[in-house]
Amino acid sequence: RTSSAEVVSSTDLCGKQTAIMWSGTTSYCYDCVGIDGCGFCGGSCVAGNESGPFEQDSCPATAGNEWIYSACENKYGYVSVLFMILYLLAFGFGLGGLPWTLTSEIYPLQHRSLAVSISTAVNWICNLAVSATFLTISSAQFLTISGAFFLYGTIAVVGLVWLYRALPETKGKSLE
């Protein structure tokens, strides 16, 4: 967020937005274009639409004053993609196969196929729930992006504590 241009001034409509996890003050271009009916121009967050600001004098046609309504420039955007690829590689070689190995070991043979099927279904349903809710939860009207990651991280930590206490040790035990 802070790699986008900083807001120097703003109109009343575009100056603040509702937020739970942060101040809600429009500080950067990214905050400004996230508010419906607002855009960024030359350090100011002003009311407008895709074609330009409602008041033309709020964005004079001078060098560096470009009307931005939907997305701000981020010269470090490639870093996110790089780290996502590195994460996926590390996850695939490391913890990616762990749930599938565990589910094949902890259930008795007579119930294994049904139990693994249910475990797989729960896994994909949870993946669907996260994918389907992330954009809504991360919007400024709900928890913001930071709040969404905090929520999902909290759920992961609670799950880790539960797994640490409830998961049986399979080392040295036979499959039956």
Side-chain angles (χ1 to χ4, degrees):
R1 171 194 305 264
T2 58
S3 62
S4 68
E6 192 169 353
V7 171
V8 178
S9 66
S10 61
T11 61
D12 289 341
L13 170 69
C14 302
K16 292 206 180 274
Q17 56 183 314
T18 338
I20 295 170
M21 299 298 285
W22 62 291
S23 69
T25 303
T26 306
S27 303
Y28 297 96
C29 175
Y30 180 85
D31 301 326
C32 181
V33 298
I35 304 171
D36 289 336
C38 295
F40 182 79
C41 181
S44 298
C45 185
V46 296
N49 57 24
E50 290 182 12
S51 60
F54 293 142
E55 297 177 20
Q56 293 302 322
D57 60 338
S58 63
C59 185
T62 60
N65 280 358
E66 176 187 358
W67 175 249
I68 302 170
Y69 184 74
S70 59
C72 302
E73 182 181 327
N74 183 354
K75 59 184 175 182
Y76 303 110
Y78 69 92
V79 175
S80 299
V81 175
L82 174 68
F83 280 111
M84 183 178 64
I85 291 169
L86 290 175
Y87 164 77
L88 290 172
L89 284 171
F91 182 78
F93 288 122
L95 295 174
L98 186 62
W100 309 109
T101 305
L102 277 173
T103 56
S104 67
E105 291 180 354
I106 64 174
Y107 301 118
L109 185 59
Q110 64 191 27
H111 303 293
R112 188 168 296 149
S113 61
L114 179 62
V116 169
S117 299
I118 291 170
S119 297
T120 302
V122 168
N123 180 20
W124 285 108
I125 289 169
C126 290
N127 285 337
L128 175 66
V130 169
S131 299
T133 61
F134 179 75
L135 290 178
T136 303
I137 289 176
S138 65
S139 68
Q141 290 81 18
F142 287 93
L143 295 180
T144 71
I145 292 175
S146 301
F149 278 102
F150 181 78
L151 173 68
Y152 293 137
T154 302
I155 292 169
V157 168
V158 169
L160 178 67
V161 170
W162 179 80
L163 275 176
Y164 181 77
R165 294 176 183 236
L167 186 67
E169 177 59 61
T170 59
K171 182 178 178 182
K173 296 189 178 187
S174 67
L175 284 177
E176 284 308 309

